[in-house]
Amino acid sequence: MQRQVLLPLLTLTLFTTFMITAQRRGKDRDKKKEPVPVEVKAPKLIVGIVVDQMRYDYLTRFWNHYGEGGFKRLINEGFTCKNHHFNYAPTSTGPGHASVYTGTTPAVHGIIGNDWYDKETDTEVYVASDDSFESVGTTSNAGKMSPHRMLTTTITDQNRLHTQMRGKTIAVALKDRGAVLPGGHTANAAYWFEGTESGNWITSTYYMDALPQWVVDFNASDAVESYKKPWETLKPITEYQESGTDQNIYEGRFRGEATTTFPHDLPSHWGKNGGTSILRATAYGNSITTDFALAVLENEDLGRDNITDFFTVSYSSTDYVGHMFGVNSVEVQDTYLRLDLDLAKLLTTLDGKVGVGNYTVFLTADHGAIHVPAFLVDQKIPAGYLDLGALKTKFNEFLKYKYGTTDIVKTISNYQVFLDRNVIDNLDMELDAVQEEIALEILNYDDMDKVFTGFQLWRNNYTQSTGIPYLIQQGWHQKRSGDVVFVQRPGFIAYPKTGSTHGSPMIYDTHVPLLFYGNGIKKGETFERTEIPDIAPTIASMLGIAFPNGTTGEPIAEVLE
């Protein structure tokens, strides 16, 4: 009986031992196999498009008017992030472009505004100004620019470093900051539009000592002058049902205009509005940008070899038009319909010059925008305007009463109070106590929603779930930002009563499009939250290169093939 039981057990044990040994030997053989090299076909060209002041709902609101070759092509054949946001404030052009390309926020890259009070020099500084360099292509100071105030690398820098500087970077925008910041510290060229009577594209000695001949030829052509014509709607104005009435009290006007209505007779008001500068605040400004971008593709050989190049294009006129006419205007709608045609033209040119499947595009915005508060009030929605003059008067009275002097405050800039540390020391006061006293005072003012002190932002670690505190902290730089940050109520702005603006941590300023298209990109969409700093590491992951050195974003895995 024992033998009958033991024999099957022995057989089973031997079989099991044999199988385990065989499996181990198999694994050992697998380990010894040489890895199979995988060929990664990188795109020949990355095209980064930033549409200035583009709210996400401009995609959906004007959808039925778009053609098949622009926004719809990017969406239908690419990947759409539908819940994409800025994760900081202030939401403005300089910080927006820097954050898209650095993969981080102002707390790290240091671009805390378009202009800000500089503690070291005790002056107000402009984000891109740099007197160390001279203008190229103009005798004015409009070209004395560089990215020297941006503290980290960009995805464009990292591509240059990865390719031993053989991958080119060219950056183009009407606004200098819309070209200088995306181009990074290592761009081969960055060009922006001077406007005025010249209508020229210019640059800085930071990049080159003289304009290339093709730029000289472009400036000498009638490419810009051809837009000296009335701005009429692309389609019959009766079809613009997605916008408000053409004549209303919520829109600004060009100097010399009697009404806000189409057509806008640009030639008649040319001289009163700075010559070609008037084109910035029309749909034609985007077309001028596209014309120049196509000239770049024709003359700079981008995407012509197997080393990845970068081409950054920022469409600035959408911002100028939004500021002048407002979110709900026919002018904004017409600008986006015409931009759709410009995008189609750009994509078609890329197909021919670089080749279908050889390039990758991402499109996003540098911030959103608010509806004109006066319009919102008329719709019975809480909104309004901050009286910063009255606020300052009341604040100065508080300072005199509390501290005996207003000298305790250096300045108020970008909704931030900058204190004079020397005065505080001389008065033998504690900095954190002064910050808190001032914060409590400002919080009592009408239309203020939240106030934060520098010590709060220094000591706490806010997460995305906390909402506005998280956004304020991500936009606050320890060395550059102010001592007290204040946030107005939703729907309230410090701005004229016509036109739209931006800059707040509110969702109308943070929710923007993010589209990916082309080589290495899946077709699809996501409703998961994505954030502006995620763009650069996503592109870096696709290219297999190092992330920008201040990156805090995460790659969006769903986007990549």
Side-chain angles (χ1 to χ4, degrees):
M1 185 70 180
Q2 260 184 338
R3 289 180 181 177
Q4 290 176 341
V5 174
L6 289 174
L7 187 58
L9 286 174
L10 181 60
T11 303
L12 179 62
T13 301
L14 290 172
F15 178 78
T16 303
T17 303
F18 173 80
M19 291 300 295
I20 291 171
T21 303
Q23 288 175 352
R24 285 175 178 168
R25 287 175 179 169
K27 288 180 179 178
D28 289 340
R29 283 197 300 270
D30 289 341
K31 288 179 181 178
K32 292 176 183 177
K33 285 183 180 178
E34 292 295 325
V36 179
V38 178
E39 182 180 356
V40 178
K41 185 184 176 184
K44 293 182 177 182
L45 179 65
I46 304 291
V47 182
I49 300 174
V50 175
V51 183
D52 205 323
Q53 202 188 117
M54 185 176 184
R55 291 163 54 110
Y56 175 81
D57 63 354
Y58 289 160
L59 289 176
T60 56
R61 181 173 147 203
F62 308 136
W63 181 261
N64 291 335
H65 290 276
Y66 292 142
E68 298 300 320
F71 287 116
K72 284 186 176 180
R73 177 178 174 183
L74 297 177
I75 291 170
N76 292 335
E77 300 178 27
F79 195 97
T80 306
C81 297
K82 295 190 171 185
N83 187 21
H84 187 64
H85 294 270
F86 281 85
N87 63 336
Y88 66 84
T91 42
S92 51
T93 300
H97 282 78
S99 298
V100 167
Y101 285 90
T102 62
T104 189
T105 66
V108 180
H109 62 58
I111 303 300
I112 61 172
N114 293 334
D115 305 89
W116 66 86
Y117 171 73
D118 183 76
K119 297 177 184 178
E120 293 184 8
T121 61
D122 192 24
T123 58
E124 196 83 8
V125 296
Y126 175 63
V127 60
S129 64
D130 192 342
D131 289 337
S132 302
F133 298 95
E134 299 300 324
S135 300
V136 177
T138 179
T139 56
S140 76
N141 291 331
K144 300 178 73 170
M145 305 288 166
S146 86
H148 71 111
R149 291 192 171 91
M150 186 164 57
L151 302 177
T152 64
T153 62
T154 59
I155 183 64
T156 48
D157 288 329
Q158 295 302 149
N159 185 66
R160 292 272 285 155
L161 293 170
H162 185 81
T163 61
Q164 301 303 310
M165 299 301 189
R166 291 191 291 269
K168 291 177 69 173
T169 298
I170 307 289
V172 170
L174 291 185
K175 295 181 180 180
D176 48 51
R177 57 189 180 273
V180 169
L181 298 172
H185 303 276
T186 60
N188 299 83
Y191 301 103
W192 51 94
F193 185 65
E194 183 179 24
T196 66
E197 290 303 320
S198 77
N200 286 342
W201 289 86
I202 64 173
T203 189
S204 162
T205 53
Y206 180 86
Y207 305 100
M208 61 190 74
D209 294 326
L211 292 175
Q213 187 59 46
W214 71 263
V215 179
V216 174
D217 293 341
F218 187 95
N219 286 338
S221 73
D222 65 350
V224 173
E225 286 291 323
S226 67
Y227 293 100
K228 188 178 181 180
K229 59 185 180 181
W231 178 16
E232 300 177 341
T233 53
L234 180 67
K235 296 183 177 184
I237 199 166
T238 54
E239 295 184 18
Y240 288 57
Q241 296 298 309
E242 296 75 19
S243 300
T245 58
D246 193 25
Q247 173 64 43
N248 61 72
I249 62 172
Y250 312 117
E251 300 179 12
R253 299 192 299 268
F254 293 113
R255 293 185 185 91
E257 281 192 321
T259 72
T260 64
T261 57
F262 277 99
H264 295 284
D265 189 359
L266 305 183
S268 296
H269 309 299
W270 198 257
K272 296 177 183 177
N273 292 273
T276 63
S277 295
I278 195 175
L279 298 173
R280 296 176 186 270
T282 74
Y284 298 150
N286 290 331
S287 297
I288 292 168
T289 304
T290 302
D291 293 343
F292 191 75
L294 299 185
V296 170
L297 292 173
E298 179 66 33
N299 292 280
E300 290 290 350
D301 293 329
L302 294 177
R304 302 293 179 88
D305 57 27
N306 291 323
I307 300 174
T308 302
D309 297 323
F310 249 97
F311 187 28
T312 78
V313 182
S314 181
Y315 284 106
S316 307
S317 286
T318 43
D319 184 68
Y320 289 110
V321 173
H323 276 298
M324 179 171 285
F325 298 102
V327 164
N328 205 44
S329 65
V330 175
E331 283 80 2
V332 160
Q333 180 166 356
D334 193 69
T335 297
Y336 277 89
L337 301 197
R338 291 179 181 273
L339 175 59
D340 185 57
L341 298 179
D342 285 319
L343 289 174
K345 187 185 296 185
L346 178 61
L347 293 173
T348 299
T349 302
L350 288 167
D351 291 341
K353 296 292 184 184
V354 184
V356 177
N358 287 331
Y359 64 90
T360 304
V361 175
F362 68 82
L363 182 149
T364 189
D366 57 351
H367 52 74
I370 186 176
H371 268 284
V372 178
F375 166 77
L376 294 177
V377 169
D378 287 345
Q379 312 311 311
K380 302 180 181 179
I381 294 172
Y385 296 89
L386 301 179
D387 187 342
L388 292 184
L391 185 151
K392 186 175 181 181
T393 299
K394 187 174 182 179
F395 184 56
N396 283 338
E397 290 173 356
F398 160 78
L399 294 176
K400 290 177 184 176
Y401 174 79
K402 183 71 177 179
Y403 306 110
T405 178
T406 60
D407 292 343
I408 197 169
V409 171
K410 278 276 191 181
T411 190
I412 298 176
S413 172
N414 290 332
Y415 298 96
Q416 298 180 32
V417 179
F418 290 79
L419 300 178
D420 190 320
R421 308 295 176 88
N422 292 328
V423 172
I424 291 172
D425 288 342
N426 290 337
L427 294 175
D428 198 26
M429 295 185 295
E430 296 294 329
L431 179 62
D432 58 345
V434 175
Q435 287 182 353
E436 187 169 341
E437 289 167 352
I438 288 176
L440 289 172
E441 170 67 15
I442 294 175
L443 188 59
N444 286 326
Y445 295 166
D446 291 341
D447 306 325
M448 286 296 125
D449 188 53
K450 291 177 174 58
V451 185
F452 302 89
T453 69
F455 271 83
Q456 275 181 289
L457 299 172
W458 183 295
R459 292 168 175 167
N460 295 306
N461 183 27
Y462 299 112
T463 62
Q464 192 271 322
S465 62
T466 64
I468 287 178
Y470 167 72
L471 274 68
I472 296 300
Q473 187 173 57
Q474 294 302 312
W476 187 80
H477 191 273
Q478 288 186 347
K479 295 184 74 171
R480 291 184 172 181
S481 295
D483 292 277
V484 177
V485 182
F486 52 95
V487 181
Q488 69 271 38
R489 287 172 54 193
F492 282 73
I493 60 174
Y495 201 69
K497 292 191 176 181
T498 57
S500 300
T501 194
H502 50 84
S504 80
M506 306 307 169
I507 203 160
Y508 43 74
D509 284 338
T510 70
H511 190 196
V512 298
L514 177 57
L515 313 177
F516 291 93
Y517 167 87
N519 184 305
I521 303 300
K522 286 181 183 177
K523 180 180 176 181
E525 62 184 29
T526 181
F527 292 91
E528 294 295 319
R529 181 183 173 94
T530 57
E531 297 181 336
I532 282 290
D534 298 336
I535 297 171
T538 300
I539 296 298
S541 296
M542 184 185 72
L543 295 177
I545 67 176
F547 291 4
N549 62 14
T551 297
T552 53
E554 298 285 344
I556 308 169
E558 303 95 315
V559 167
L560 303 177
E561 287 184 342

